[in-house]
Amino acid sequence: NQRYCIATSTKVEVKDVDVTSVTDAFFARDAKKKVKSKDAEAMFAKDAGNAGRSDEQKTSQKKVDEPLLKNLSAEQKAYLKARFSLTARMFPHELK
């Protein structure tokens, strides 16, 4: 999502990364059929939990991540794991 993307001057080598399996359909959610019910118990049913990511998506993610992580330094890995947020009077275009 572009909303969570902050541009930096850091460059990462991606020539060894195979992203042929990653398309827009990879990120699409499964369409769920909505059930209209007037019953309060059916509305708050326990079986309506999150499906999560499929095993195929998890293996594809690992396949993309492994060669990418080999090209990163320990400092870059720590940077990517860190939580990022902007505070008051911080502007993304002024960050380095």
Side-chain angles (χ1 to χ4, degrees), residues 24-82:
D24 287 342
F26 181 81
F27 297 102
R29 294 183 184 177
D30 294 332
K32 294 182 181 178
K33 188 173 184 178
K34 293 184 180 182
V35 178
K36 292 186 179 183
S37 176
K38 294 181 181 179
D39 186 20
E41 290 180 22
M43 186 183 310
F44 299 107
K46 297 270 184 189
D47 61 340
N50 292 338
R53 294 176 48 158
S54 69
D55 291 334
E56 180 183 335
Q57 287 176 322
K58 290 177 185 178
T59 55
S60 294
Q61 183 69 48
K62 287 181 183 179
K63 187 174 121 183
V64 170
D65 286 350
E66 285 177 7
L68 188 63
L69 290 174
K70 289 179 185 176
N71 296 330
L72 296 177
S73 67
E75 183 179 303
Q76 289 173 329
K77 289 177 186 177
Y79 173 76
L80 290 173
K81 287 182 181 180

